Structures are given as C-alpha cells and as structure tokens.
C-alpha cells in the first residue's frame, strides 16, 4: 500500500471523482473509466490489499455479498444477456491497480470479447499429484 493509498482508496476517500453505483461500510462499486462494455463496473473492498489472499474473511465475505447485489443492479440497468466477473492478482495476471477489485463485465452475443481460454494437456496422474500439493500447502 502506498502512503497516499491506491487510486481506488483515493476514490473511496472522495479525493478523486468516480461514478459510484453502490457503497456500504466495507465495499464500494463504481464504473470503470475504460469500460470493456457498457456497464463495466468495479467492486472494491475498502480495505486496501493488493491480492485477494491477503484480504481476510470478513472483507471477502462483504465483497462477495456486494458482488451479487451490484451484478443484479447492472443486469437490471443494462439488460445484458450475461456477464463475466474477473479478478486479477499480480501484474503477471494483468492487474494494473494494486488494490483488490472485481470487474463485472456485461456480455452480449457477438460482442467480440471472447470467453474461451486454451487449456493445457494434463494426465489424471499429474492432476492428482497437483491436487495433493495444493491441499497440503499453507
Ligand atoms: P486491473 O487490470 O488492475 O484488473 O484493472 C484495473 C481497472 O481499473 C482497469 O479496467 C481501469 O480501466 C480501471 N481504472 C484505473 N484507474 C481508474 C480510475 O481512476 N477510475 C476508474 N473509475 N477506473 C479506473
């Protein structure tokens, strides 16, 4: 966390403007300044951590609850057929703002955003060994 706070903390403090669509004690949601689609909204825990694994159960529960509420509001307002929820952790994943946030991205048939990734080839044995490593990790 920078001393001045992330750009999202500055929005939370009303130091810079944003189009806020939802707010409660622990969470704020506002329109993305560079939307991938009409209604692209960011849902942000007020507690500033870079990654979701550092956020903690209380704030994670609050942001999960708000995600459902805000997604419902976006669908009702935009009338979109569906939506993606995307959450990046670390620059290698595409994260640009080091303050946890969830993207709600409205989707429409033929919008060109795509949705399929290229899966790796794996064996059942490698999946079993990997699952074991993850179960045992702290
Ligand atoms: P990331 O790549 O970190 O997952 O996504 C960051 C998002 O924050 C981007 O979609 C970007 O457009 C958005 N963003 C960055 N700065 C601002 C800002 O000052 N205001 C708003 N509303 N959105 C921002």
């Amino acid at each position: 966390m920078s001393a001045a706070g992330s750009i999202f903390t500055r929005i939370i403090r009303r130091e810079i403007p944003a189009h806020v669509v939802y707010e409660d004690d622990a969470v704020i949601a506002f329109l993305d300044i560079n939307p991938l689609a009409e209604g692209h909204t960011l849902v942000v825990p007020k507690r500033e951590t870079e990654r979701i694994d550092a956020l903690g159960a209380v704030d994670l529960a609050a942001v999960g609850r708000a995600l459902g509420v805000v997604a419902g509001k976006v669908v009702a307002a935009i009338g979109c057929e569906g939506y993606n929820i995307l959450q990046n952790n670390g620059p290698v994943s595409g994260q640009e703002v080091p303050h946890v946030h969830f993207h709600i991205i409205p989707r429409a048939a033929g919008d060109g955003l795509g949705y399929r990734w290229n899966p790796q080839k794996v064996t059942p044995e490698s999946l079993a060994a990997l699952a074991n490593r993850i179960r045992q990790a702290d």
Side-chain angles (χ1 to χ4, degrees):
M1 187 193 312
S2 60
S6 74
I7 193 144
F8 292 164
T9 290
R10 298 187 64 208
I11 287 173
I12 292 162
R13 292 186 194 137
R14 304 307 200 265
E15 292 170 2
I16 59 174
H19 294 285
V20 175
V21 299
Y22 173 91
E23 185 167 20
D24 63 32
D25 287 347
V27 181
I28 193 168
F30 47 85
L31 296 181
D32 195 296
I33 203 167
N34 287 312
L36 294 181
E38 183 184 38
H40 183 166
T41 299
L42 302 175
V43 180
V44 183
K46 290 183 175 178
R47 178 169 175 235
E48 182 182 332
T49 65
E50 180 174 357
R51 300 183 184 216
I52 196 171
D53 55 276
L55 187 57
V58 170
D59 290 286
L60 198 48
V63 80
R65 180 191 165 281
L67 259 180
V69 172
V70 178
K73 287 169 144 317
V74 169
V75 169
I78 303 296
C80 51
E81 297 169 48
Y83 55 91
N84 292 113
I85 290 182
L86 178 70
Q87 199 271 322
N88 299 322
N89 295 273
V92 74
S93 75
Q95 185 180 18
E96 292 180 353
V97 177
H99 182 152
V100 169
H101 53 282
F102 292 77
H103 299 254
I104 299 173
I105 305 166
R107 299 301 306 269
D111 63 17
L113 291 178
Y115 60 95
R116 294 209 185 280
W117 295 350
N118 296 321
Q120 299 177 359
K121 294 206 183 330
V122 291
T123 64
E125 295 76 20
S126 68
L127 284 181
L130 184 57
N132 206 31
R133 278 172 53 203
I134 294 172
R135 273 193 297 271
Q136 292 178 3
D138 289 323

